[in-house]
């Protein structure tokens, strides 16, 4: 069990499961409120949940021990997350969850491209084929024809 919890693949799979639930729950949740207010409520819930997790697992850290560079990139990540959520909730309010979520998952394609371009990561030919298939699949699922 301990080795499973140390596996990035398990955590990635759980992330996908929770992301799918997020789409379904959010689609229902934005039915009668503005998408921006829905994003605000979601953010408060996440903040409270994470504070509880940090407290329960005693993972709070001394803010002064964190580097300025770390804060800058975490802040940029937070701004990107917020922008993503605002756009995602607006898209869910306007479109079908089964079509919005696959387009949102084009982020997988963009992460591969950005990872190679900016982080120096390398992907094999088979990896690029998978990235291409993910992109094509997302577009086909979102296509209304």
């Amino acid at each position: 069990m301990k080795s499973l919890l140390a596996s990035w693949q398990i955590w990635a799979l759980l992330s996908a499961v929770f992301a799918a639930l997020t789409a379904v729950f959010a689609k229902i949740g934005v039915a009668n409120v503005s998408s921006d207010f829905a994003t605000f409520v979601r953010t408060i819930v996440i903040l409270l949940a994470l504070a509880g997790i940090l407290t329960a697992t005693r993972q709070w850290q001394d803010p002064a021990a964190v580097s300025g560079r770390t804060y800058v990139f975490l802040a940029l990540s937070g701004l990107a997350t917020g922008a993503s959520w605002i756009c995602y909730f607006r898209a869910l309010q306007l479109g079908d969850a089964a079509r919005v979520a696959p387009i949102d998952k084009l982020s997988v394609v963009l992460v591969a491209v950005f990872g190679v371009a900016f982080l120096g990561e390398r992907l094999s030919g088979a990896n690029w084929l998978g990235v291409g298939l993910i992109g094509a699949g997302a577009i086909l699922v979102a296509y209304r024809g």
Side-chain angles (χ1 to χ4, degrees), residues 58-84:
R58 298 179 183 197
Q59 291 188 63
W60 285 102
Q61 292 182 242
D62 177 10
V66 178
S67 74
R69 182 178 192 272
T70 296
Y71 278 122
V72 166
F73 280 97
L74 290 176
L76 290 171
S77 175
L79 291 171
T81 297
S84 173

Side-chain angles (χ1 to χ4, degrees), residues 11-12 44 68 90 96 100 114:
W11 289 105
I44 291 170
R90 185 70 45 86
D96 297 334
V100 169
F114 294 164

